[in-house]
Amino acid sequence: MTDTNTAAAAPVRREAGSSEPIIRIQGLNKWFGHFQVLTDISLAVSPGERIVICGPSGSGKSTLIRCINGLEKVQQGTIVVDDIALTAGERNIEAVRQEVGMVFQQFNLFPHMTVLQNCMLAPMRSRGASKAQAEELAMTYLRRVRIADQAAKYPSQLSGGQQQRVAIARALCMTPKIMLFDEPTSALDPEMVKEVLDTMIGLAQDGMTMLCVTHEMGFARSVADRVIFMADGRIVEEGVPAEFFGNPKHDKTRTFLGQIL
Ligand code: ADP
Ligand code: MG
């Protein structure tokens, strides 16, 4: 763990679309038993790109992003993350997970560990960081999400918004190249949504490659480079926010936007 300080202090700002895709999904099909949950998904994500994925409940959004860090098995198609093919075995899944951070709707913090311990765990377990290194890294990212003053508390002592920011900090402690968010604000009381979105906006401004499943359309409009709309396991429509919101082409998109906006 030699790059702790530089990685924490100087996030690299990358221009969206400036280089080879960091995520390449081609011809992805996935089934749960006989039920086809994803159909013909192809998607290329550039380094630094910010993508919002939206669509009705049950359309396969969570399954798609879970496929990207190997949480779901894929039966057909290819997923390549930072030149690592995900479909080629367990070893690769571990390698990909080192590069991909994930934040869920439920914060999934370990309740018996303090905020600081939650953040120190993965770097020590899977990166061989010393306790001192892990603590320094954890405090760096806890400061970044503006919650360092809560480091000694247990998750149950924090608000939902604070817990979600800790979950973001914990993911960042693995210095991921890509962050996946699955409805990170859906379980929050309304007054806590903004603090989490602001944290995500900060990450976006630092150039993090982000895929966010969210129905926060204000966030999509202001942050996304591209909005992807899914229905029935397919990508039905995608576009830059102005085009997606201003001139949705597909009936299903219009119906969906009519319901949530
Ligand atoms: P979304 O995130 O868009 O709401 P999901 O990806 O969670 O959609 O689910 C898509 C569909 O797949 C739903 O019909 C859901 O019931 C089904 N599904 C999700 N996970 C499983 C699973 N582990 N086993 C069987 N069906 C599943
Ligand atoms: Mg979901």
Side-chain angles (χ1 to χ4, degrees), residues 2 5 47 53 64 89 93 112 134 142 153 156 212 236 261:
T2 51
N5 289 325
I53 302 172
L64 174 59
I93 287 179
H112 60 291
L142 288 169
K153 290 195 178 163
S156 61
C212 311
V236 170
L261 289 179

Side-chain angles (χ1 to χ4, degrees), residues 31-127:
W31 290 261
F32 286 121
H34 293 295
F35 172 65
Q36 184 159 11
V37 59
L38 295 173
T39 304
D40 293 335
I41 302 279
S42 292
L43 176 65
V45 180
S46 301
E49 202 175 5
R50 292 145 300 203
I51 292 185
V52 162
I53 302 172
C54 60
S57 180
S59 55
K61 306 179 298 294
S62 294
T63 305
L64 174 59
I65 66 164
R66 287 165 59 82
C67 286
I68 295 173
N69 73 346
L71 286 171
E72 296 285 353
K73 264 213 169 87
V74 163
Q75 285 94 7
Q76 248 179 42
T78 55
I79 301 177
V80 180
V81 178
D82 203 24
D83 291 328
I84 307 164
L86 242 182
T87 22
E90 288 294 318
R91 215 175 261 272
N92 285 351
I93 287 179
E94 283 311 310
V96 165
R97 287 200 188 139
Q98 298 277 328
E99 311 212 347
V100 181
M102 179 135 183
V103 175
F104 302 88
Q105 181 175 341
Q106 302 303 334
F107 326 121
N108 297 336
L109 297 172
F110 296 111
H112 60 291
M113 291 182 175
T114 65
V115 163
L116 182 64
Q117 288 166 341
N118 264 281
C119 292
M120 291 169 61
L121 189 65
M124 289 176 71
R125 282 236 178 120
S126 61
R127 285 275 172 85

Side-chain angles (χ1 to χ4, degrees), residues 184-243:
T185 61
S186 297
L188 297 177
D189 291 333
E191 71 272 20
M192 291 165 192
V193 169
K194 185 175 182 297
E195 65 188 77
V196 171
L197 291 180
D198 284 347
T199 304
M200 293 167 66
I201 290 168
L203 275 183
Q205 284 167 344
D206 287 339
M208 178 65 79
T209 306
M210 294 165 65
L211 272 80
C212 311
V213 176
T214 181
H215 293 159
E216 292 292 335
M217 293 297 123
F219 175 82
R221 274 181 203 273
S222 60
V223 174
D225 298 299
R226 197 155 35 125
V227 183
I228 289 176
F229 174 71
M230 289 182 69
D232 306 322
R234 297 172 188 268
I235 294 177
V236 170
E237 179 162 354
E238 59 177 290
V240 299
E243 177 191 312

